[in-house]
């Protein structure tokens, strides 16, 4: 490459709503591997990631946490940045959609689209899925629920601005036709055509008025910009588009690839290019929709309590092992299953056995027979030629596969070379050569070839395992030039290796013991979490959200306990005689374990007064009292002794 070509790659920007799990890390690690590979090849790379911080979902979570939305996201974003550090993510920029420059540029985009007539005001009536921040028409719902995540949708009716998406239908079809890789892999293109393009595009609602946490529309401040318009714009605003200094935008746009999960391909391949066309901005070269990392029971989710924490995995097995597993285990583009067993097996077979053995055998023999100084002697054999040819073939296949983001296949190529080199040791039997003084040159040539293989393997593995690669190159004593991409095809170019014996790179893991240990840790963590944060746990398993109208159906009242007695033949129930304003009533409550009748008389509590009456052990119970279940063996009534009996609680 005479003049450095640019390569701009992005991940989605993440919602800072919960801790990110291994599924989120999957996408970022893949983007990182590609960014590192392109840098290695000599590209001038811009690698962008960030956080998508506006929207109703975040606003609601912040309210629930008793924080302002900004305060809420600040804390989570700090954790996300830390996670990317642990995973050794080499992003060049990190954008937050709450950053000033982004807010200003999005406002500019919205105004430009409005001035152009591509955004107009109307009324929106339809369904909204808050977790996905997506609008749906009646016929798109599946059993009345969100077709993407299967959760409840809300009927929304508000005055809104609309983007003339329908106007770009034809232009989008032409874009896909002229650029068959624009939507990759091919299956995603088919999904888009069948599910969205062929049924016909509707104009898109692009502003909201029913909540506040978003970017205000400058010319109508009742409205905020729809979160997906805000989020998608990050890919150009991060480069300074629309600001005083747009040099990065001039240099890097259009992007070579937006890497995204399959469920958000439609935003990136329909809404985003249509917005860009409307703004007269070139579209990106490719949107690659990868599959999901699933668990045996389905998708990971906090409510199912089955999320896999990448931090825990990195601490236990090392960052490089996790990065390698994510890239190698599942062909990129397909869905795949994560399991501890698959992870441990992969570490054992590829890293501890194949790579680890090759490194340790080579370095040990180099040290033992030549004091670590290895140079080519020319005492070659036909086996050497075979090894050299294979190395060349692996490099060329690997390069093609990495350029197509086919990580798993690319790294499988590298391990073809690793396995061949291990076999080469068995075939050449250096320990036998060492016994014969006349074979010394041959022995040194064999070790030289092995060092060359390791040098090449390290360069090729660098996008997946940067630290391990650097370690191996260090143990080989390779100079800077020998670590560069330009030298990956020059088998035999190294003048001399000065090897040193390093640590064991990937200790073998005892699968059974490790699985038992992981299960025991899981049980322990669950028990500790239940003990330490019963309230938080209760929140996690809370029923679905309700509307204010649902809440208004409850008649909550203050009641005074005027008498209290044990219900015969029941070891749980107490009968409470209550005064609710002028009205008398009784409630049977399962609180005998925690309260003596005499302790309750005269106290005031809150009851649900309009609960349908029922009879328990012969006692008519009309209403339900509010109590806090601190844990399985601790329950406290909510006392409101200075409130007036009969008054309403809202
Ligand atoms: N904020 C939007 C993206 C806006 S981009 C302009 C969003 N955020 S997200 O945090 O919900 O998801 C970010 C990415 O993580 C998505 O690409 C999504 O597909 C990916 N993943 C989330 N769970 C995943 C798995 N279990 N497996 C693989 N990827 C998954 O969407």
């Amino acid at each position: 490459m005479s003049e450095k070509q640019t390569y701009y790659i992005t991940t989605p920007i993440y919602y800072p709503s919960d801790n990110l799990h291994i599924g989120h890390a999957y996408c970022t690690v893949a983007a990182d591997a590609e960014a590192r590979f392109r840098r290695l090849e000599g590209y001038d790379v811009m690698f962008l990631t960030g956080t998508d911080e506006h929207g109703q979902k975040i606003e609601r979570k912040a309210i629930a946490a008793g924080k302002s939305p900004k305060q809420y996201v600040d804390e989570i974003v700090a954790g996300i940045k830390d996670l990317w550090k642990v995973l050794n993510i080499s992003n060049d920029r990190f954008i937050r959609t709450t950053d000033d420059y982004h807010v200003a540029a999005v406002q500019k985009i919205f105004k430009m689209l409005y001035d152009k007539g591509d955004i107009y005001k109307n009324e929106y009536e339809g369904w909204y899925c808050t977790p996905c921040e997506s609008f749906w028409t009646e016929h798109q719902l599946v059993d009345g629920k969100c077709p993407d995540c299967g959760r409840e949708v809300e009927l929304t009716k508000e005055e809104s601005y609309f983007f003339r998406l329908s106007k770009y239908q034809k232009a989008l079809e032409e874009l896909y036709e002229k650029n068959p890789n624009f939507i990759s892999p091919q299956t995603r293109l088919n999904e888009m055509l069948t599910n969205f393009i062929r049924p016909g595009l509707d104009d898109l609602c692009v502003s909201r008025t029913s909540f506040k946490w978003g970017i205000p529309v400058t010319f109508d401040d009742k409205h905020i910009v729809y979160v997906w318009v805000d989020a998608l714009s990050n890919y150009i605003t991060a480069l300074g588009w629309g600001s005083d200094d747009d040099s990065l935008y001039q240099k890097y746009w259009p992007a070579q690839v937006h890497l995204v999960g399959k469920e958000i391909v439609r935003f990136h391949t329909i809404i985003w290019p249509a917005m860009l066309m409307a703004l007269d901005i070139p579209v990106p070269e490719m949107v690659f929709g990868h599959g999901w990392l699933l668990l045996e029971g389905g998708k990971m989710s906090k409510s199912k309590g089955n999320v896999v924490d990448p931090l825990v995995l990195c601490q236990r097995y090392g960052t490089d092992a996790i990065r390698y597993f994510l890239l190698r285990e599942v062909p990129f583009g397909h869905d795949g299953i994560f399991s501890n067993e698959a992870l441990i097996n992969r570490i054992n077979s590829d890293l501890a056995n194949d790579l680890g053995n090759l490194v340790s055998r080579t370095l040990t023999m180099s040290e033992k027979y030549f004091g670590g100084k290895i140079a080519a002697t020319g005492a070659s054999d036909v086996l050497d030629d075979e090894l050299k040819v294979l190395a060349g073939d692996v490099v060329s296949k690997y390069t093609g596969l990495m350029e197509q983001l086919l990580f798993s296949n690319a790294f499988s190529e590298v391990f073809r070379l690793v396995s061949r080199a291990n076999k080469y040791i068995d075939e050449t039997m250096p320990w036998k050569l060492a016994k014969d003084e006349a074979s010394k040159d041959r022995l040194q040539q064999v070790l030289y070839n092995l060092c060359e293989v390791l040098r090449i393997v390290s360069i090729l593995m660098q996008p997946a395992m940067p630290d391990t690669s650097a370690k191996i190159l260090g143990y080989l004593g390779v100079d800077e030039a020998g670590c560069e991409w330009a030298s990956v095809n020059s088998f035999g170019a190294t003048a001399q290796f000065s090897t040193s014996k390093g640590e064991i790179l990937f200790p073998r893991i005892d699968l059974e013991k490790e699985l038992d240990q992981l299960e025991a840790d899981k049980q322990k963590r669950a028990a500790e979490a239940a003990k330490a944060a019963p309230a938080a746990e209760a929140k996690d398993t809370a029923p679905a959200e309700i509307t204010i109208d649902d809440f208004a159906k409850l008649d909550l009242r203050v009641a005074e306990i005027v008498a209290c007695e044990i219900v015969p033949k029941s070891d749980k129930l107490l009968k409470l005689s209550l005064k609710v304003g002028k009205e008398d009533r009784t409630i049977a409550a399962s609180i005998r374990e925690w309260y003596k009748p005499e302790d309750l008389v005269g106290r005031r509590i809150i009851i649900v007064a309009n609960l349908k009456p029922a009879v328990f052990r012969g006692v008519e119970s009309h209403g339900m009292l509010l109590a806090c279940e601190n844990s399985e063996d601790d329950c406290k009534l909510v006392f409101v002794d200075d409130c007036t009996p009969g008054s309403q609680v809202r």
Side-chain angles (χ1 to χ4, degrees), residues 11-17 20-28 50-54 57 80 97 131-133 227-235 259-265 267-268 290-295 298-301 335-336:
T11 71
I13 48 173
Y14 294 85
Y15 291 128
S17 43
L20 298 190
H21 55 63
I22 193 79
H24 298 113
Y26 181 62
C27 187
T28 314
T51 40
D52 183 0
E53 305 185 10
H54 293 123
K57 182 165 62 174
I80 293 178
T97 54
C132 295
E133 302 283 12
V227 67
W228 270 100
V229 168
D230 165 354
L232 289 162
S233 306
N234 93 89
Y235 300 127
L259 216 58
V260 302
K262 62 180 183 180
E263 84 286 14
I264 58 172
V265 168
F267 298 97
H268 285 81
H290 64 76
W292 283 340
L293 205 57
L294 304 164
L295 295 177
K299 245 198 135 180
M300 272 170 239
S301 81
D335 285 350

Side-chain angles (χ1 to χ4, degrees), residues 459-477:
I459 297 174
L460 300 179
M461 287 311 293
Q462 200 249 330
M465 304 201 292
D467 285 350
T468 305
S469 290
K471 269 189 200 163
I472 301 176
L473 289 166
Y475 297 152
L476 292 171

